[in-house]
Amino acid sequence: MIQNKSFRDCIAAIPEDRMAEFELSFSIAERIVEVLKQKGMTRRDLANRLGKRESEISKWLTGRHNFTISTLSHISLALRQDIIMVTSQNYDVANEKCPMVAEDQQPYGDK
């Protein structure tokens, strides 16, 4: 439990949606660090695989980076390990019935 009242008050004042963003970003950063440790890799190793500077990887791993889907995909490929897992239905993008590629599908929300 955090003992400093001022710090607790500051944390309590953060809007719920922003707190959810922070928690997700920190969780993703922690997952990347975990995978690096499991694979015996350093931040420099990841930077080299991604063609980035080590300082950029260090910034990402502070938990304050707003990861894009593209960045997460590149990290997953570089590490050959899933970083996040989506628990909803998986779509086969090669399948013409996939709502993301089928031209004859109705827009989301229209039924």
Side-chain angles (χ1 to χ4, degrees), residues 46-66:
L46 180 58
N48 288 337
R49 287 189 181 187
L50 293 171
K52 304 284 184 184
R53 289 185 300 240
E54 187 177 353
S55 61
E56 186 170 358
I57 302 304
S58 293
K59 177 184 160 189
W60 291 357
L61 299 181
T62 63
R64 295 175 295 188
H65 181 72
N66 187 12

Side-chain angles (χ1 to χ4, degrees), residues 10-63:
C10 287
I11 295 293
I14 297 173
E16 185 177 7
D17 61 329
R18 292 292 293 154
M19 185 60 82
E21 287 178 35
F22 294 144
E23 289 175 355
L24 184 56
S25 290
F26 282 110
S27 294
I28 291 169
E30 287 175 354
R31 172 71 178 138
I32 294 168
V33 169
E34 175 185 296
V35 172
L36 287 172
K37 285 180 184 176
Q38 288 172 356
K39 295 186 173 285
M41 293 176 63
T42 65
R43 294 172 183 199
R44 177 174 287 155
D45 295 329
L46 180 58
N48 288 337
R49 287 189 181 187
L50 293 171
K52 304 284 184 184
R53 289 185 300 240
E54 187 177 353
S55 61
E56 186 170 358
I57 302 304
S58 293
K59 177 184 160 189
W60 291 357
L61 299 181
T62 63

Side-chain angles (χ1 to χ4, degrees), residues 85-93 95 97-100 108:
M85 183 176 294
V86 178
T87 57
S88 64
Q89 179 181 356
N90 292 324
Y91 291 103
D92 178 4
V93 293
N95 182 342
K97 293 183 181 179
C98 174
M100 293 181 284
Y108 291 107

